[in-house]
Structure formats: C-alpha cells, structure tokens
Amino acid sequence: DSGPSFSFNIGANTDYVFDKATGALVHIIEHPMGAAAPMTFTHNGRQMIVFAAGGGEGCELVAMALP
C-alpha cells in the first residue's frame, strides 16, 4: 500500500505525514492548539481527515484532504 500516512500526536501542536512505501517524512503539520484524535472518511473518492483543535470556546474543527 502506498500513499501518505498520518501520525497524530494527541494533545500536541505538531503532526507528521509519512510516505507508507518508504517511511520518509513528507510533511509536518503545525497548528496553534493541541489536537484530539482524528476522524477519517471518504468523500467523492478522496480521504478526508478531521480533528478538533483547541478547547473550550476556542475549539475548532480542522479538515484536510489527502492527495
């Protein structure tokens, strides 16, 4: 299986994307607030990843599409 693989650090401000085939780091995702466990789903043939970031009134959903 090839393509990207996400490594989520729950509660941290940085997450990592790796290439499944090589293990090489592809991208670093930095966000200003800690993140909750991700949710993933497929929409129109593309895999989407959504996670809640922040807390309390400053909480927001962050969504990303895999290529």
Side-chain angles (χ1 to χ4, degrees):
D1 191 14
S2 63
S5 174
F6 280 80
S7 172
F8 280 90
N9 297 309
I10 297 173
N13 295 3
T14 305
D15 298 306
Y16 303 92
V17 182
F18 296 93
D19 184 297
K20 286 184 193 176
T22 67
L25 179 64
V26 176
H27 191 72
I28 297 173
I29 303 166
E30 295 185 32
H31 38 86
M33 303 166 265
M39 301 166 272
T40 182
F41 61 95
T42 303
H43 178 69
N44 290 334
R46 293 189 72 189
Q47 184 178 0
M48 308 295 285
I49 295 179
V50 179
F51 59 91
E57 292 183 24
C59 189
E60 55 188 51
L61 290 177
V62 178
M64 296 176 279
L66 297 180

